[in-house]
Amino acid sequence: MVPDTTILNPQDWRFCVAPMLDLTDRHCRYFHRLLTKRARLYTEMVTTGALVHGDVPHHLDFSPEEHTVALQLGGSDPKDLAHGAALAEKWGYDEVNLNCGCPSERVQKGSFGACLMSEPNLVADCVKAMQDACSVPVTVKHRIGIDQIEEYAFVRDFVGTLYEAGVRVFIVHSRNAWLKGLSPKENREVPPLRRGVVYQLKKDFPDVIIVINGAIPDLGVADEQLKHVDGVMLGRAAYYTPWLLADVDARIYGDEHEPVTREQVIDEMERYVRLIKPDDHSLRAACRHMHGLLTGLAGAKVWRRTLSDAALIREKGADIFRYAYGKAGWTDVDQFSAEDSEFFS
């Protein structure tokens, strides 16, 4: 279903937290949603093979509190991607995003990710199939080029082909993807940033929503980018310094709701893990995602060390967050106020 551009609001993509493999699972997204009510959240990439042959609820289940949340798919077969898009809508996701930007060799072997930028007609067939299978927006995340191809015409024509196929939201990582010789980490650092390419895409396609991604370290840089494009997407900065998300609603959206406190977040995460009755893996994952909550504050190292202690996590269970906060010197472990929960009601 080709989207009606009149119902797509650029504000919906004004601030996004990037899909990050092995990081933005449901526990991470729940944590991030406690910090910001307005940011658009993305799943880690889910391959179509995992949805065709694997445990679908394991890959797609999420908490209602996570909305607005998008499912990112990895694949290159239109039929399988249509199946994934239909499942995304069935599960209640607000968007389905096609990954055309991941440069890892593992992804390339599956013939998807950044290597798809060299096959825009195939990508067009994929997004058409996805649009026919669901009514939520189908979006594309991509790079500005691959390998040594730096001509603007390459990414302009890629976007143009997908525009003709009905795509109206593009999330653009402002570096090339080097498919050989660089690791995924190096691909986030070595190819030079060329944000001007993304700005030019917005000028050439003024009626589409352009979201810029790549090395945006804080909300100050995000503000600067929003002078040129419709939205920003932060990845590692949002994950490793998550407290910046607590300023997003007021600074990026002008919302005036009561700001959240760290104590409220910790209290709510305790209730969350009790509610989901976590196994050892999910509790450790929730602890790992919260490592950055005290970054820049006294006691941050003790906080991280405590939340990394597998034996302590097993011993304390859902009480591990309060315990770690107390060990970090911020409060006695029994001093959390019941009023802290009112923010989330």
Side-chain angles (χ1 to χ4, degrees):
M1 180 183 297
V2 176
D4 180 353
T5 57
T6 63
I7 65 173
L8 292 184
N9 184 353
Q11 286 287 312
D12 293 340
W13 283 269
R14 187 167 175 80
F15 190 96
C16 308
V17 178
M20 290 175 279
L21 198 60
D22 299 324
L23 296 181
T24 50
D25 62 18
R26 60 181 302 184
H27 312 305
C28 176
R29 298 192 305 270
Y30 190 93
F31 167 50
H32 285 173
R33 181 56 72 214
L34 298 178
L35 299 170
T36 167
K37 297 176 182 293
R38 295 293 300 273
R40 197 173 192 91
L41 305 181
Y42 284 74
T43 70
E44 54 189 329
M45 182 182 66
V46 178
T47 65
T48 53
L51 298 182
V52 172
H53 306 293
D55 182 344
V56 173
H58 170 75
H59 292 292
L60 296 188
D61 282 351
F62 67 95
S63 302
E65 292 85 354
E66 293 173 41
H67 288 292
T68 302
V69 59
L71 172 67
Q72 187 184 69
L73 291 178
S76 59
D77 180 270
K79 180 180 177 181
D80 289 347
L81 285 165
H83 175 71
L87 287 174
E89 182 167 35
K90 179 181 177 181
W91 247 255
Y93 284 92
D94 302 290
E95 169 193 341
V96 58
N97 176 263
L98 179 59
N99 185 322
C100 294
C102 181
S104 79
E105 290 190 11
R106 179 162 63 104
V107 166
Q108 291 178 56
K109 289 178 181 176
S111 299
F112 57 95
C115 63
L116 282 176
M117 289 194 69
S118 64
E119 300 184 74
N121 292 325
L122 171 60
V123 180
D125 290 341
C126 290
V127 296
K128 288 175 184 176
M130 295 164 73
Q131 290 164 349
D132 288 343
C134 70
S135 59
V136 298
V138 174
T139 69
V140 175
K141 188 174 189 295
H142 62 93
R143 295 279 184 137
I144 58 172
I146 53 176
D147 296 324
Q148 305 304 316
I149 302 173
E150 296 189 349
E151 292 80 6
Y152 173 67
F154 177 80
V155 67
R156 180 201 62 205
D157 292 349
F158 177 80
V159 170
T161 299
L162 301 190
Y163 179 89
E164 292 300 320
V167 179
R168 293 297 180 268
V169 180
F170 295 86
I171 302 166
V172 190
H173 187 127
S174 52
R175 301 182 194 267
N176 272 34
W178 292 2
L179 301 181
K180 299 294 181 183
L182 292 183
S183 68
K185 180 179 185 297
E186 290 169 331
N187 258 290
R188 296 191 299 269
E189 300 170 351
V190 175
L193 281 171
R194 293 189 293 137
R195 289 177 175 150
V197 173
V198 187
Y199 307 159
Q200 189 61 46
L201 286 172
K202 181 58 188 177
K203 293 177 182 177
D204 288 347
F205 299 91
D207 62 329
V208 307
I209 296 169
I210 297 289
V211 179
I212 193 168
N213 174 229
I216 300 174
D218 53 47
L219 298 189
V221 176
D223 279 335
E224 287 299 312
Q225 299 311 302
L226 288 170
K227 297 175 182 178
H228 305 282
V229 293
D230 301 293
V232 295
M233 175 176 275
L234 273 68
R236 264 66 192 170
Y239 187 84
Y240 292 108
T241 55
W243 193 245
L244 69 81
L245 296 175
D247 290 331
V248 163
D249 295 357
R251 182 161 178 175
I252 302 298
Y253 293 94
D255 284 2
E256 297 181 355
H257 62 71
E258 179 99 10
V260 68
T261 68
R262 287 179 174 86
E263 287 83 2
Q264 288 171 327
V265 171
I266 291 167
D267 203 44
E268 182 63 18
M269 284 301 293
E270 178 187 325
R271 279 193 295 276
Y272 166 72
V273 296
R274 291 188 192 281
L275 181 66
I276 64 172
K277 298 181 175 63
D279 55 25
D280 193 50
H281 171 78
S282 58
L283 182 54
R284 289 200 314 272
C287 289
R288 174 169 58 94
H289 300 320
M290 293 178 67
H291 280 187
L293 185 63
L294 301 189
T295 295
L297 300 181
K301 186 175 181 179
V302 174
W303 163 263
R304 291 193 302 272
R305 185 169 64 240
T306 306
L307 292 184
S308 301
D309 189 321
L312 267 178
I313 292 171
R314 285 193 297 271
E315 175 189 341
K316 299 295 181 181
D319 292 328
I320 187 63
F321 308 116
R322 296 187 188 206
Y323 179 81
Y325 201 57
K327 290 287 286 185
W330 283 93
T331 184
D332 294 334
V333 294
D334 296 321
Q335 291 300 307
F336 279 67
S337 168
E339 285 78 18
D340 284 345
S341 64
E342 292 181 359
F343 177 85
F344 304 101
S345 62

